Amino acid sequence: QVQLVESGGGSVQAGGSLTLSCAASGYDITNSCMAWFRQAPGREREGVAAISIRADVDYRYYADSVKGRFAISHDNAKNMLYLQMNSAGPQDSAAYYCAARPRGLEACLPLESTAYNYWGQGTQVTVPS
């Protein structure tokens, strides 16, 4: 079966950087739609960053709240997805979830949670105020 396992969460000071990882098993991330979502207590789940992974070119999408600060990337050889978080602030404190959907010939719906088939259990990121 498909498993997505997030890691790399923890505490980071305001203005600092942190890299999250998502290890996929039973699933090939190539030619795939993948994304990072986050959810803070009492708030709705929010799409953070997404990537359409293709053989020729990748397409990346970011929520307005993280544009210019976060970067989504992948390593096909390791079957891994990453989220580089820069200039972190208290508003970024949340549980971060990795999500995936086989792309096939269909377009990805990048930041819509209902578009994804598989989800990890999350990793907590805390940025003290």
Side-chain angles (χ1 to χ4, degrees):
Q1 71 275 17
V2 175
Q3 285 192 339
L4 304 176
V5 180
E6 302 95 337
S7 62
S11 294
V12 59
Q13 63 181 346
S17 297
L18 193 68
T19 300
L20 307 182
S21 300
C22 173
S25 61
Y27 181 88
D28 188 349
I29 72 169
T30 59
N31 195 30
S32 175
C33 307
M34 300 195 73
W36 289 96
F37 289 78
R38 67 186 181 188
Q39 188 166 25
R43 299 193 63 187
E44 296 180 337
R45 183 166 295 189
E46 174 190 22
V48 175
I51 184 167
S52 175
I53 303 172
R54 303 177 58 169
D56 52 351
V57 63
D58 294 337
Y59 295 92
R60 294 173 171 84
Y61 308 86
Y62 297 96
D64 289 342
S65 59
V66 306
K67 284 181 180 177
R69 298 190 298 119
F70 291 8
I72 189 169
S73 62
H74 65 97
D75 186 335
N76 287 350
K78 297 181 178 179
N79 216 35
M80 297 277 288
L81 181 75
Y82 305 99
L83 182 68
Q84 177 67 49
M85 304 170 58
N86 299 316
S87 301
Q91 73 276 15
D92 299 315
S93 295
Y96 283 73
Y97 299 88
C98 177
R101 178 187 179 90
R103 180 180 178 273
L105 297 177
E106 298 180 346
C108 299
L109 196 59
L111 298 178
E112 292 290 338
S113 62
T114 56
Y116 295 89
N117 304 112
Y118 306 114
W119 292 83
Q121 293 298 307
T123 185
Q124 182 68 43
V125 173
T126 301
V127 186
S129 59

